[in-house]
Amino acid sequence: MAPPRKTCKEKRTQLKSSRAALSNNLNKKAAQQATRDAAAFGIETQVVEVDPNRAKATTVFTAESLQIKASARASTRSGMRTVFAGEATHDVQRRIHEGRIPLAPPRDQELFSVDRFDLTPAALEFMPRRPRWEFEDSSRRVHHRESKMFARWLKGVKERIADAGGYAAAFEQNVQVWRQLWRVLERCDVAVAIVDSRSPLMHFPPALLAFVARQLRKPLVVVLNKVDAVAPAAVAAWARQLRRLPGISRVVAFSCREKDGEVRVEGVPCGRAALLEACHRAFAD
């Protein structure tokens, strides 16, 4: 009796496994050959131990490798494209594998709680701050200071992320985007942060709150968006919790699926008109 024929999926899986095994064997043989060659020429070899958690948090390429030079002078109206760091292929595959594992209840229920929100001065370290400038300074001088400062901040924050371990964090690495944010926040009277009402703290960085409220000393209005996807009681609870954070002037609910963004949430103003009124009151206070 003839053996059952393999399906195309099984053949592809077997081919991938064979290629991976062949690649590992070739890498081992190359390492062994390099060690023998070094010994033949009297070169001492050194084994370097790599921390796996630090290696996972290390990015593969940076903005400079994409020919976006942080130290180059450029107009704030050009180069406005978001730049993130890339991850190694094996890290991406590991994410895919871990994504297939069923979710378990979180061990720490207070992980996404305002009680764990970073209100210390160290929160500002994860947001680059614009250097001091004067109206008499030329644009070339201002851009040079900003680029130098951003390069130092980028190097330092990557080191802190690598020391913490885990996955490589996704954060903006294009100085042009940060320049726009600096200038917008400096010129505005009231800052508005739009967060997803399903998990607001995941979209609300402590560094932004610290920068607006402490350094710029400007009012901040938080908009809970997509409230149509959340129970009204949960939206009201999030609004009460966010009001506890020092620096947040008002909390408004909004939904693009409703007329004028208005929804009914007890104790929380909703809609476009409520947002404009909240901004005017925050500015008046």
Side-chain angles (χ1 to χ4, degrees):
M1 183 176 179
R5 299 181 62 182
K6 294 183 179 180
T7 62
C8 295
K9 184 177 181 179
E10 292 175 344
K11 290 181 179 179
R12 286 195 298 267
T13 303
Q14 184 179 6
L15 180 60
K16 289 181 181 180
S17 301
S18 301
R19 288 179 177 176
L22 179 60
S23 177
N24 292 334
N25 292 333
L26 291 176
N27 291 335
K28 290 180 180 179
K29 291 181 180 180
Q32 293 173 357
Q33 183 63 37
T35 304
R36 288 193 295 267
D37 293 343
F41 287 97
I43 302 175
E44 296 182 359
T45 58
Q46 182 180 5
V47 178
V48 179
E49 184 177 354
V50 180
D51 183 5
N53 290 329
R54 185 180 179 86
K56 286 188 294 184
T58 304
T59 55
V60 178
F61 61 82
T62 60
E64 287 75 11
S65 63
L66 296 176
Q67 299 180 354
I68 300 176
K69 297 182 180 179
S71 59
R73 176 180 177 269
S75 172
T76 55
R77 298 182 181 180
S78 64
M80 286 298 298
R81 59 170 176 167
T82 298
V83 175
F84 295 115
E87 294 183 87
T89 304
H90 64 273
D91 286 335
V92 176
Q93 296 298 327
R94 181 163 53 87
R95 280 181 180 271
I96 295 174
H97 174 72
E98 293 179 354
R100 297 170 181 168
I101 301 175
L103 293 176
R107 297 180 180 178
D108 190 355
Q109 297 290 342
E110 297 182 354
L111 181 61
F112 297 110
S113 171
V114 293
D115 296 330
R116 299 285 295 271
F117 203 81
D118 190 2
L119 298 174
T120 64
L124 277 172
E125 296 179 359
F126 286 94
M127 180 173 178
R129 283 173 284 182
R130 187 183 185 188
R132 296 184 61 181
W133 60 277
E134 303 292 341
F135 285 101
E136 294 76 12
D137 295 338
S138 63
S139 60
R140 183 183 296 273
R141 186 178 183 85
V142 171
H143 284 202
H144 177 73
R145 289 177 178 174
E146 292 174 348
S147 300
K148 289 293 185 181
M149 181 282 308
F150 184 76
R152 291 194 299 269
W153 174 83
L154 192 62
K155 180 180 179 181
V157 76
K158 286 182 178 179
E159 287 293 329
R160 287 194 292 272
I161 292 174
D163 292 338
Y167 288 111
F171 65 97
E172 182 58 63
Q173 300 190 41
N174 187 358
V175 66
Q176 293 297 91
V177 177
W178 288 107
R179 280 172 173 155
Q180 287 290 334
L181 181 61
W182 293 332
R183 285 153 176 79
V184 167
L185 291 178
E186 287 177 358
R187 296 176 183 178
C188 73
D189 295 319
V190 179
V192 178
I194 302 176
V195 299
D196 195 322
S197 60
R198 292 170 291 186
S199 185
L201 296 186
M202 289 188 65
H203 307 88
F204 190 40
L208 180 62
L209 174 60
F211 182 76
V212 175
R214 298 180 187 175
Q215 185 165 343
L216 299 180
R217 299 183 182 276
K218 293 188 177 183
L220 177 64
V221 176
V222 176
V223 178
L224 291 171
N225 195 21
K226 302 179 181 178
V227 294
D228 56 279
V230 185
V235 177
W238 272 120
R240 289 193 300 269
Q241 293 296 316
L242 290 173
R243 292 191 187 104
R244 294 173 50 196
L245 295 176
I248 295 181
S249 303
R250 299 286 191 280
V251 178
V252 181
F254 190 87
S255 172
C256 63
R257 293 189 176 184
E258 302 295 335
K259 183 179 179 180
D260 295 329
E262 293 185 0
V263 290
R264 294 184 179 180
V265 179
E266 184 178 357
V268 183
C270 308
R272 299 178 183 177
L275 175 58
L276 292 175
E277 184 181 358
C279 291
H280 286 298
R281 290 187 176 183
F283 178 71
D285 294 342

